């Protein structure tokens, strides 16, 4: 086993290290979600935590890590009798983004189950992670069906494996730790809420601290074992402190006044459900135990709120994470314990004696004389300022109107792209639509088709009695139909013809609504704008719809209408994306009033550009933004050239009675 980077050698990132240590003290806190830019040692810190966890006692020979003091009565390897067990190190199990369902939950040998009638079960990663850590790097890129399985296991503390009437259940209680880069897309709210705490990390902007990071990393790469040995004392001291905090935890008192502060804080920030209150209470209790105290203070509640609430108060994916700390302080002060004396100083987050919320680094072998403080990342960064007008007739950015729920736009045919919720596709999950011979390992048995395939051969196989002789050639794989996510490429007209402030505000609100719909349907999105003399890719295709929303907000308007340039730029982007991800089907959404100006014969050029998309079978929708008493109907003509459909801004709303949105299905020439 390779030598891990020591936890105490991590420079800065106080919030991250504290959140991980609190979960080590009290696994009931519920895990950590680490959000941050690439290259900030998120994975390094998480992997280093495993070496600090105390050993666990397990039943000897049990593949499911049953506790010998209270064995699981339904353990597949059981039943076990209570008694002394064997001690082993706590496990940290990594779930790869591309893992299969069978790798996660385990697999049944269906051939043995059918032929011999036995439950031959091979445990998966959920069983390995029981009573340990389940670590998911790039958790926001995990497939939806794996997320559903994680949600079920996290909610019930057990995993169920069902295969055509054969059922296995085992305990699966683990500490869920995930890391992600928000630029690559957000998490589903259901999974987001399953993480007890969240931490935003960013690389330090202090030169001295960056130098120390590089110095330690180079020393570790040169000789990992020697580097770890130099930090062995600090690691041992921190490990003992975790054990002491765990022993103290049951003695910590959570008073009614503190509970009132927790409830008031959750209510003030309008978080959904009651999980936030419970997580805050457990986190505040763990903070007190970590500081060596037996009573929870208001400062513990404040620190718990900063860790437990930011990811729960986001009302939509475009809200920046973080808490208004002034509002938090006002709420805590309003519900402060009235019985507390003024001369009783409020202990800080480090507890009595200045023990510190995180391991000290000042006296460690390779630490600098002074460790610069980590920049505060609890407040969200300010959005980019809108560009100033740069020419005659151009306007500054217009604020978008409020988003709304849109009607569903889909790509025709049957795809095979990434799992999502927009268009029909062949998937591993969904309703069964037929059967086929298995290619490789059999995963989803179609029982009826298997019996039908085996039935004509029973006499030749010498069947006796009522049994059915089934051979491997008879097995049939179920084919299923579900939904896929698409690449939704927005081409937005930001020219002078659309520059009336009220109309542009409505246009931006409509695009924002479509972006929100794309987030909910697990799509990739891209944004192209055209104005003046050219078109530009404001956002290359990405899973981060909040990045697209930020670019949209800062979009200036004005100038001529190079519609053809926008369509040609979209054609280039889609050509490249088809090479990168051939299975993800595109949906082109053109937001315009259909006018084209600038250059020789702009209308004819726009028509030829549109026919390029039609020739390649790209599914398309034109959102008609034309307004006023006299309408030219140019957007409808553009939709016909594209081989797609047109919908007005009013018809785009899902709750509009008049003007149903035409389904794209059947309008595209692209074959499934």
């Amino acid at each position: 086993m390779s030598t891990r980077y020591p936890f105490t050698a991590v420079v800065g990132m106080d919030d991250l290290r504290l959140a991980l240590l609190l979960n080590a003290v009290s696994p009931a806190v519920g895990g950590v979600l680490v959000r941050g830019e690439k290259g900030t040692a998120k994975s390094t810190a998480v992997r280093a935590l495993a070496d600090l966890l105390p050993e666990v006692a397990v039943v000897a020979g049990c593949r499911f890590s049953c506790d010998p003091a209270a064995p699981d009565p339904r353990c597949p390897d059981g039943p076990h009798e209570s008694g002394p067990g064997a001690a082993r190190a706590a496990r940290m199990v990594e779930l790869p983004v591309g893992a299969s369902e069978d790798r996660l939950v385990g697999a049944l040998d269906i051939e043995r189950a059918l032929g011999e009638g036995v439950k031959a079960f091979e445990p998966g990663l959920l069983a390995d992670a029981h009573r340990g850590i389940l670590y998911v790097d790039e958790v926001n890129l995990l497939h939806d069906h794996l997320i559903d399985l994680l949600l079920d296991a996290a909610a019930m503390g057990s995993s169920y494996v069902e295969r055509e009437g054969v059922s296995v259940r085992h305990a699966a209680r683990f500490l869920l730790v995930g890391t992600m880069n928000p630029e690559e897309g957000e998490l589903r709210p259901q999974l987001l809420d399953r993480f007890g705490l969240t931490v935003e990390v960013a690389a330090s902007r202090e030169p001295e601290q960056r130098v120390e990071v590089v110095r330690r990393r180079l020393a570790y790469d040169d000789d990992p074992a020697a580097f770890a040995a130099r930090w062995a004392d600090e690691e041992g001291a921190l490990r003992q402190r975790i054990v002491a905090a765990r022993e103290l935890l049951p003695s910590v008192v959570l008073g009614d006044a503190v509970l009132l502060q927790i409830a008031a804080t959750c209510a003030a920030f309008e978080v959904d459900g009651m999980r936030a209150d419970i997580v805050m209470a457990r986190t505040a209790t763990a903070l007190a135990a970590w500081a060596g105290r037996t009573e929870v203070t208001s400062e513990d509640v404040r620190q718990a709120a900063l860790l437990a609430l930011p990811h729960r108060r986001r009302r939509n994916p475009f809200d920046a994470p973080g808490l208004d700390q002034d509002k938090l302080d006002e709420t805590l002060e309003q519900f402060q314990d009235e019985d507390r004396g003024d001369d009783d100083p409020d202990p800080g987050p480090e507890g009595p004696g200045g023990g510190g919320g995180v391991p000290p680094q000042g006296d460690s072998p390779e630490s600098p004389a002074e460790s610069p403080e980590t920049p505060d990342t609890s407040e969200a960064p300010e959005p980019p300022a809108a560009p100033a007008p740069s020419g005659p007739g151009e306007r500054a950015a217009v604020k978008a109107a409020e988003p709304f729920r849109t009607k569903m736009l889909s790509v025709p045919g049957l795809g095979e792209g990434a799992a999502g919720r927009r268009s029909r596709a062949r998937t591993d999950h969904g309703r069964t639509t037929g059967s086929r011979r298995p290619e490789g390992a059999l995963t989803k048995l179609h029982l009826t088709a298997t019996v039908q395939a085996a039935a004509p051969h029973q006499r030749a196989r010498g069947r006796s009695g009522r049994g059915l002789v089934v051979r491997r050639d008879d097995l049939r794989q179920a084919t299923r139909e579900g939904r896929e996510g698409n690449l939704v490429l927005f081409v937005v007209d930001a020219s002078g013809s659309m520059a009336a402030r009220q109309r542009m505000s409505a246009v931006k609100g409509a695009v924002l609504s479509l972006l929100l719909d794309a987030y909910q349907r697990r799509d990739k999105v891209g944004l192209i704008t055209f104005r003046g003399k050219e078109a530009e890719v404001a956002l290359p295709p990405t899973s981060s719809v909040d990045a697209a929303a930020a670019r949209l907000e800062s979009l200036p308007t004005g100038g001529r209408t190079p519609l053809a340039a926008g369509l040609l730029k979209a054609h280039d982007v889609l050509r490249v994306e088809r090479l990168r991800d051939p299975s993800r089907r595109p949906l082109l959404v053109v937001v315009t009033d259909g006018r084209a100006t600038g250059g020789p014969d702009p209308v004819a050029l726009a028509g030829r550009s549109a026919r390029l998309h039609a020739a390649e079978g790209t599914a398309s929708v034109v959102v008609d933004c034309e307004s006023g008493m006299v309408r030219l109907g140019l957007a409808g003509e553009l939709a016909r050239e594209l081989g797609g459909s047109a919908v007005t801004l009013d018809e785009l709303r899902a709750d509009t009675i008049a003007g149903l949105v035409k389904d794209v299905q059947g309008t595209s020439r692209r074959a499934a």
Side-chain angles (χ1 to χ4, degrees):
M1 178 179 176
S2 60
T3 303
R4 289 194 179 103
Y5 192 91
F7 189 87
T8 49
V10 175
V11 178
M13 296 196 296
D14 293 349
D15 287 344
L16 170 58
R17 292 186 292 125
L18 178 60
L20 292 172
L21 289 170
L22 291 177
N23 276 274
V25 171
S26 176
V29 167
V32 187
L33 174 64
V34 187
R35 297 163 44 95
E37 58 196 26
K38 54 186 178 293
T40 49
K42 302 184 297 292
S43 300
T44 298
V46 173
R47 292 187 175 101
L49 177 68
D51 290 338
L52 297 176
L53 298 181
E55 291 185 335
V56 294
V58 297
V59 174
C62 178
R63 297 174 297 167
F64 301 88
S65 302
C66 282
D67 186 350
D72 182 1
R74 299 175 62 186
C75 175
D77 283 356
H80 305 298
E81 294 184 359
S82 300
R88 65 159 174 79
R91 291 175 181 162
M92 189 190 73
V93 177
E94 296 193 37
L95 172 61
V97 170
S100 66
E101 177 182 344
D102 288 344
R103 184 71 186 97
L104 178 63
V105 302
L108 285 171
D109 189 335
I110 297 179
E111 294 182 50
R112 288 190 61 192
L114 289 175
E116 304 174 25
V118 298
K119 296 180 181 180
F121 180 68
E122 183 66 27
L125 296 178
L126 290 180
D128 292 342
H130 179 48
R131 303 178 67 202
I133 301 174
L134 181 62
Y135 171 49
V136 188
D137 194 13
E138 306 293 353
V139 63
N140 52 326
L141 303 182
L142 201 63
H143 290 298
D144 275 3
H145 69 281
L146 296 182
I147 290 178
D148 293 337
L149 294 170
L150 279 180
L151 289 174
D152 290 343
M156 298 183 294
S158 56
S159 174
Y160 292 84
V161 184
E162 305 285 347
R163 291 291 188 277
E164 305 297 335
V166 182
S167 175
V168 172
R169 172 255 174 220
H170 64 83
R173 291 183 295 276
F174 47 82
L175 178 63
L176 183 61
V177 180
T179 57
M180 61 174 284
N181 183 350
E183 294 179 357
E184 297 174 335
E186 288 292 343
L187 280 177
R188 283 168 49 184
Q190 296 94 328
L191 182 58
L192 199 62
D193 192 46
R194 285 295 174 186
F195 287 97
L197 311 179
T198 186
V199 178
E200 298 279 335
V201 297
S204 172
R205 299 299 182 257
E206 295 289 338
E208 294 84 358
Q209 196 168 35
R210 295 175 74 96
V211 166
E212 186 60 24
V213 171
V214 174
R215 182 182 293 119
R216 295 188 188 184
R217 184 68 206 193
L218 293 177
Y220 170 77
D221 290 340
D222 288 341
D223 191 344
F227 182 83
R230 288 196 293 271
W231 292 86
D233 291 342
E234 285 76 8
E235 293 281 290
L238 187 59
R239 193 176 293 110
Q240 290 300 318
R241 186 174 176 185
I242 292 173
V243 172
R246 282 190 172 190
E247 294 174 351
L248 183 62
L249 187 65
S251 303
V252 176
V253 177
L254 189 69
D256 290 342
V258 171
L259 279 174
L260 181 60
Q261 284 186 318
I262 292 172
T265 301
C266 293
F269 286 98
E270 300 180 352
V271 296
D272 295 329
M274 295 297 298
R275 186 173 284 116
D277 304 62
I278 297 171
V279 171
M280 274 189 64
R282 289 171 174 167
T283 304
T285 303
L287 279 163
W290 179 248
R293 289 183 270 105
T294 57
E295 185 175 352
V296 177
T297 67
S298 294
E299 187 59 35
D300 294 329
V301 175
R302 186 182 191 278
Q303 183 67 54
L306 292 175
L307 294 172
L309 297 187
H311 60 303
R312 292 187 167 90
R313 59 155 293 276
R314 302 185 73 185
R315 313 309 296 180
N316 65 62
F318 309 135
D319 290 338
L323 291 183
D324 182 342
Q325 296 198 33
D326 291 337
K327 180 178 179 180
L328 174 60
D329 292 336
E330 291 175 3
T331 303
L332 293 176
E333 185 176 353
Q334 180 181 355
F335 290 89
Q336 186 74 31
D337 184 4
E338 298 178 357
D339 296 333
R340 186 171 151 195
D342 294 335
D343 55 347
D344 183 12
D346 186 3
E350 299 180 347
V358 295
Q361 299 186 39
D363 299 329
S364 50
E366 298 190 25
S367 63
E370 288 188 24
S371 178
E373 294 184 356
T374 304
D376 183 6
T377 58
S378 60
E379 291 294 330
E382 295 183 359
S390 58
E394 297 184 359
R395 303 172 186 266
V398 179
K399 184 175 177 61
E402 286 297 317
F404 52 85
R405 188 166 65 91
T406 69
K407 289 190 176 293
M408 180 176 143
L409 308 174
S410 63
V411 178
L414 195 63
E416 295 182 350
R421 298 183 177 182
R422 183 172 298 279
S423 305
R424 295 173 55 221
R426 299 182 184 92
T427 62
D428 292 333
H429 301 269
R431 63 186 182 90
T432 300
T433 58
S435 64
R436 60 176 174 82
R437 288 182 180 273
E439 299 174 0
L442 178 68
T443 55
K444 298 287 185 181
L445 178 72
H446 194 298
L447 185 59
T448 303
T450 298
V451 172
Q452 289 175 345
H457 308 291
Q458 296 307 296
R459 179 175 297 179
R461 294 173 183 174
R463 186 194 71 169
S464 60
R466 297 183 179 180
L468 182 68
V469 179
V470 179
R471 296 180 178 173
R472 181 170 181 78
D473 290 343
D474 302 325
L475 298 178
R476 293 295 183 267
Q477 177 90 23
T479 58
R480 298 172 182 263
E481 183 177 309
R483 293 281 172 175
E484 68 176 359
N486 301 117
L487 166 59
V488 183
L489 183 61
F490 295 94
V491 182
V492 180
D493 184 350
S495 65
S497 66
M498 301 271 293
R501 295 188 68 84
Q502 184 174 1
R503 190 178 352 154
M504 196 62 198
S505 175
V507 169
K508 285 189 174 183
V511 178
L512 200 65
S513 303
L514 289 167
L515 284 171
L516 181 59
D517 179 70
Y519 164 76
Q520 293 168 340
R521 299 190 190 280
R522 317 307 294 167
D523 296 316
K524 287 180 70 175
V525 297
L527 178 63
I528 294 173
T529 63
F530 58 93
R531 59 189 283 269
K533 297 182 179 180
E534 60 184 15
E536 66 173 340
V537 180
L539 184 73
T542 176
S543 297
S544 179
V545 295
D546 51 347
R551 303 290 177 89
L552 183 71
E553 284 286 356
S554 61
L555 176 66
T557 62
R560 294 184 176 182
T561 312
L563 176 57
L567 295 174
L568 290 174
K569 182 69 73 174
H571 183 268
D572 290 341
V573 170
L574 292 180
R575 177 178 56 81
V576 174
E577 285 302 309
R578 285 191 180 101
L579 295 174
R580 290 177 176 171
D581 190 358
S583 65
R584 190 182 288 269
R585 299 187 294 162
L587 174 62
L588 184 67
V589 179
V590 186
V591 184
T592 180
D593 56 10
R595 290 181 172 86
T597 61
D601 205 357
V603 176
L605 184 58
R608 289 197 296 271
S609 303
R611 288 192 291 275
L612 282 176
H613 290 282
E616 295 185 353
T618 302
S620 59
V621 176
V622 177
V623 179
D624 185 359
C625 303
E626 191 174 28
S627 61
M629 296 296 294
V630 179
R631 304 196 180 191
L632 303 178
L634 297 176
E637 179 61 30
L638 176 62
R640 286 189 289 274
E641 296 279 10
L642 286 166
S645 62
V647 56
T648 66
L649 286 176
D650 289 338
E651 292 171 344
L652 192 61
R653 294 178 179 271
D655 54 358
T656 299
I657 298 177
L660 296 178
V661 177
K662 297 178 183 178
D663 187 18
V664 184
Q665 189 167 3
T667 63
S668 172
R669 302 176 191 174
R670 182 179 182 182

